[in-house]
Amino acid sequence: MAEKQTSLVCFVTVLLLIQVVESDIGVNWGTISLHKMSPSTVVDLLKDNKIQKVKLFDADPDVMKGLMGSGLEVMVGIPNDMLALLSSSTVASDLWVSQNVSRYMVKGGVNIRYVAVGNEPFLTSYSGQYQSYVVPAMTNLQESLAKANLARNVKLVVPCNADAYESSLPSQGTFRPELTQIITQLVSFLNSNGSPFVVNIYPFLSLYGNSDFPQDYAFFEGTTHAVTDGPNVYSNAFDGNLDTLIAALAKIGYGQMPIVIGEVGWPTDGAIGANLTAARVFNQGLVKHVLSNKGTPLRPGVPPMDVYLFSLFDEGAKSVLPGNFERHWGIFSFDGQSKYPLNLGNGPLKNAKDVQYLPYRWCVANPYKNLAEAADHFKIACSYADCTTLNYGGSCYGIGAKGNISYAFNSYYQLQKQNPRSCDFDGLGMVTFLNPSIGECRFLVGVSDHTTSSGFRLHNNWISVLLIVLWDAWLFLM
């Protein structure tokens, strides 16, 4: 009997160890880029770095095809603007599941673990426009997954921004009053289906948006501005934010709800405080903290199930409405080269292999021309290309008027795959074979291993057309 008990204890211990190992550092793979590497190259990059979990913001067919047979655990996303349709029609949800989940979950296919229903749909700035669609959409999608015999393997989640809850102290955390009812419904749904609560936490944004926020409290290196909350002391904003959520969940009866960090990271450019050094210190501190299994004061020894770093690459076509830093969150630059030393628990980051670059040449302002008429060309170039590094706080800020023009010209030129005509600018541009980079300001050379040059692609397949027809019909019936 004693031997059986010992065996049982060993078996349970092994199971617990397996559960701990399953907690991991994943990455967000966003694709709103100007220069895209092929999905197969990106998948190889993930595998070379032993990154086993990846979060997507849609179900891009090219990306999903690249993930086939990779064994990587995938979270696919549904954009917010599809929630209304999916909440109103099981035909639409059946169709979405069929085309974006079932078709890939075949032998040798994609290991889809989660479907993210919307992305931060309760964000304050959305003024509630998606709020009423979330739970009905999840209900329809859950039914569709069940019909496809996938409900056991694929879990629905809703990535929430940390502004869904509030408090002056972590232990007093509550959900925003206007969200309490719907969040309670959502969490009840998640709990009944074995799904975690997914939250995005950004200490950088707290620092960026509040001049009084203590800088050292945003990191994991210790602080002179610790927050004391009864018996608990918080030395970093991440733990304080996470425990605020845990307290808010407890107040609606779900204090033990599993939590996944859907997005967390630090940008490297585009704002004061957004730089390589700060990003390295934050991300390395975060990884060390999470992998230590220390947990938080309200959940000691229980770290988040998984943490998805934001993000894998810079995304030069993203909106800069939140700030110019929005295009510079990548731990890798657009060409798959690591920006700074970082160990995710498997050794230093490895760069992408076999990246095919365009020829090493650049477009710059012609030094023999009067650049007084270059302003319009500068604006046009930057309306297509990414020039956010030229702004205050950016790595190229302060390189002078001529430098700014050259940077804009080159960014556009590389975006156009170095088409000779794209460096004309009415005779104000010229091609050079001398790298014009200045200090930390890097003049890029584009990659050539993808067929598109703009980063914007329309997937005019029948599923997209049919969903649009369904949406139009729904609006008509309303």
Side-chain angles (χ1 to χ4, degrees), residues 2-33:
E3 289 180 358
K4 289 184 178 179
Q5 288 180 336
T6 302
S7 298
L8 181 61
V9 169
C10 291
F11 180 69
V12 171
T13 302
V14 169
L15 286 179
L16 290 173
L17 287 173
I18 290 172
Q19 287 181 330
V20 170
V21 169
E22 286 180 348
S23 297
D24 210 346
I25 304 294
V27 293
N28 285 267
W29 177 2
T31 57
I32 310 178
S33 305

Side-chain angles (χ1 to χ4, degrees), residues 409-475:
F409 283 6
N410 182 66
S411 297
Y412 180 79
Y413 174 66
Q414 303 296 338
L415 186 60
Q416 300 301 319
K417 299 296 184 185
Q418 298 185 356
N419 184 322
R421 290 177 296 178
S422 67
C423 187
D424 181 54
F425 299 105
D426 288 340
L428 299 180
M430 60 172 283
V431 173
T432 178
F433 296 92
L434 298 175
N435 190 339
S437 298
I438 306 169
E440 294 183 357
C441 178
R442 178 188 174 195
F443 281 57
L444 63 86
V445 171
V447 292
S448 61
D449 59 346
H450 201 281
T451 56
T452 59
S453 62
S454 68
F456 295 100
R457 288 175 297 159
L458 297 176
H459 301 292
N460 293 318
N461 52 27
W462 69 272
I463 177 66
S464 300
V465 175
L466 189 50
L467 285 173
I468 291 170
V469 171
L470 284 169
W471 174 239
D472 289 341
W474 181 77
L475 287 176

Side-chain angles (χ1 to χ4, degrees), residues 108-344:
V110 183
N111 178 20
I112 300 175
R113 174 88 182 274
Y114 298 111
V115 171
V117 183
N119 184 47
E120 300 184 339
F122 307 121
L123 198 64
T124 307
S125 59
Y126 291 146
S127 303
Q129 71 181 99
Y130 304 114
Q131 203 165 296
S132 63
Y133 303 134
V134 176
V135 174
M138 293 189 77
T139 302
N140 287 345
L141 287 162
Q142 185 68 28
E143 183 180 323
S144 298
L145 287 172
K147 289 178 188 175
N149 295 317
L150 294 172
R152 180 176 296 181
N153 298 320
V154 181
K155 301 300 180 182
L156 299 176
V157 295
V158 178
C160 293
N161 189 280
D163 80 344
Y165 48 90
E166 54 196 7
S167 173
S168 55
L169 289 173
S171 64
Q172 297 172 10
T174 58
F175 289 104
R176 297 199 325 257
E178 73 274 20
L179 291 179
T180 301
Q181 182 177 356
I182 192 168
I183 289 287
T184 302
Q185 294 174 352
L186 168 62
V187 174
S188 174
F189 181 97
L190 295 172
N191 184 66
S192 64
N193 290 288
S195 297
F197 191 97
V198 178
V199 64
N200 301 339
I201 296 177
Y202 283 107
F204 169 80
L205 296 181
S206 299
L207 183 64
Y208 178 77
N210 182 1
S211 59
D212 295 327
F213 191 88
Q215 181 168 331
D216 57 1
Y217 187 61
F219 296 89
F220 298 87
E221 307 295 303
T223 178
T224 57
H225 302 84
V227 173
T228 301
D229 183 6
N232 297 323
V233 178
Y234 292 87
S235 61
N236 66 80
F238 179 82
D239 282 354
N241 195 309
L242 188 52
D243 271 1
T244 303
L245 169 61
I246 291 168
L249 288 167
K251 287 181 175 63
I252 61 172
Y254 295 92
Q256 301 304 312
M257 188 78 185
I259 294 173
V260 166
I261 308 299
E263 297 177 24
V264 61
W266 200 278
T268 58
D269 214 328
I272 296 295
N275 55 66
L276 296 173
T277 299
R280 180 188 61 78
V281 171
F282 177 84
N283 282 331
Q284 194 63 74
L286 170 75
V287 170
K288 181 179 178 181
H289 182 63
V290 171
L291 295 185
S292 73
N293 294 325
K294 182 180 179 181
T296 66
L298 291 185
R299 285 191 182 176
V302 185
M305 284 177 59
D306 294 309
V307 174
Y308 292 87
L309 290 179
F310 192 85
S311 62
L312 185 59
F313 300 116
D314 286 350
E315 295 179 82
K318 285 190 73 175
S319 167
V320 294
L321 193 60
N324 291 319
F325 56 82
E326 195 64 21
R327 296 177 175 177
H328 304 282
W329 291 93
I331 58 175
F332 291 94
S333 53
F334 75 94
D335 53 355
Q337 308 304 298
S338 62
K339 294 184 185 177
Y340 47 85
L342 183 64
N343 187 335
L344 301 182

